[in-house]
Amino acid sequence: MLAISAAMVIALIPAQVRAEGVIAGTTVTNVATVDYRIGGVDQTEALAANSFTVDRRTTIFTVPDPASTVTVSRGQNRAWQAFDICNSANAPLDLGFSVA
């Protein structure tokens, strides 16, 4: 019978990996080391490393400006509503907007 420790169970649960708060272009290196024994005999330590570069995460959204609520009547043209454009990306973005 194989005994599984709590640490092993946690390691088997898939997890989401996020780069929140990390600037685009940053290199992240992950290193994993396994040190173990079989039958009381120390085994050769296993080591693995991998690196990746954080990609640009573009998150732009609009929210109505609460100070500019617009009431529109039937048949009315050219009613305007102000919006705030928010950028919560992990890198500065140059954007241009136009009204169509």
Side-chain angles (χ1 to χ4, degrees):
M1 176 177 220
L2 177 64
I4 297 177
S5 69
M8 290 174 68
V9 172
I10 291 171
L12 297 175
I13 298 172
Q16 277 190 320
V17 178
R18 299 180 186 195
E20 288 187 32
V22 178
I23 298 171
T26 301
T27 299
V28 176
T29 302
N30 291 312
V31 178
T33 305
V34 178
D35 188 45
Y36 61 101
R37 292 181 193 173
I38 296 178
V41 177
D42 287 334
Q43 302 298 305
T44 303
E45 183 178 87
L47 176 74
N50 198 1
S51 296
F52 66 92
T53 302
V54 176
D55 200 2
R56 175 182 282 177
R57 177 188 59 134
T58 305
T59 306
I60 300 170
F61 57 94
T62 60
V63 292
D65 182 352
S68 67
T69 302
V70 176
T71 303
V72 179
S73 302
R74 184 182 348 193
Q76 178 182 351
N77 291 321
R78 298 183 183 235
W80 296 90
Q81 169 69 51
F83 288 88
D84 290 326
I85 299 170
C86 305
N87 172 19
S88 66
N90 62 351
L93 299 172
D94 293 326
L95 302 171
F97 294 94
S98 63
V99 176

